[in-house]
Amino acid sequence: MLKVLKSGFFATIQDLGRYGYRDIGVPVSGAMDVDSVKKANLLLGNDPNAAVMEITMTGPTLQFDEPTFICLSGAHISATLNNKPIENYQVVQVSKGDILSYGKLENGFRAYLAIKSGFQTEKVLGSRSQFVPVTKTKRLKDGDEVLFTKNISFKPLISEVKIDDHFLKDYLEVYKGPEFELLSDAQLSAIFTKTFTISKENNRMAYQLSELIEGHAHSMLTSGTLPGTIQLTPAGRLIILMKDGQTTGGYPRILQLSEESICTLAQKKHGDKFTFKLL
């Protein structure tokens, strides 16, 4: 077991997502920064879909009750194992009783803790990703215990991966959305010339941007959305849906983030700035 001594700001168990249920209103969920998760699992010899811990902004304090191997990835939150610093993208052996702690956020926003063979929490609709009401809880809390498989012997086949700090990019690549053609010349100019700022309203469901563009009076039927769909409200606000976002929406879907840009945005926080780049 992994015991959560202190849960930090917002830590959850996530895999690559819950697919095949959007028709009944169940979001994909899953890790916000898939790229970082896949790299950590690769170093541990795990299945790419092995469940990890997603850690937002402030890290937890965790105690291991069994020996295993771990790998950190994603945002750089200074981490120590028994008060000795450990780095991202390195396989680290853990002994029974060891304590993993996190300190200062250096850059990025979401870090990941991968463990050999993945966390063994309950699967619901084919996924271990926490999302209420599909799962009983939405996040880890103090005192929780997370099951994992004991591992005492492991020799990594891959010693390193290419580290692309995608969360440092200051632009997001986008495709045209289904309602892109509804945009006026003035709206298009604003979207692709303005620098946008992430507002305080940002979480696993959606990111809202502080800057407004020209509004609209278009009326449309509620239509399907995806993680990375960018909607434009009548007031001119841009809302970017993320992994726990609703499966349908009634605002024009003007743009769609690329998969890489979803990972990039997942590593940005309130006050960070970026521009849009049309693919």
Side-chain angles (χ1 to χ4, degrees), residues 7-109:
S7 59
F9 174 67
F10 194 86
T12 62
I13 299 300
Q14 303 289 339
D15 50 28
L16 297 186
R18 183 172 283 111
Y19 291 91
Y21 301 96
R22 294 183 62 82
D23 59 328
I24 56 173
V26 179
V28 170
S29 296
M32 294 273 276
D33 180 359
V34 169
D35 183 78
S36 293
V37 170
K38 287 182 176 179
K39 286 176 178 174
N41 276 329
L42 179 65
L43 285 167
L44 286 168
N46 288 347
D47 185 286
N49 195 40
V52 302
M53 184 181 296
E54 181 176 273
I55 297 161
T56 303
M57 190 170 67
T58 302
T61 301
L62 308 165
Q63 185 172 34
F64 297 84
D65 286 349
E66 297 289 350
T68 188
F69 295 83
I70 62 172
C71 182
L72 311 183
S73 67
H76 294 265
I77 308 176
S78 56
T80 61
L81 186 67
N82 301 327
N83 296 317
K84 295 181 180 179
I86 58 174
E87 300 297 328
N88 282 8
Y89 301 103
Q90 294 182 3
V91 174
V92 177
Q93 186 169 9
V94 173
S95 299
K96 180 178 180 179
D98 283 357
I99 294 178
L100 175 65
S101 302
Y102 287 84
K104 181 182 178 182
L105 175 66
E106 300 291 345
N107 53 43
F109 194 49

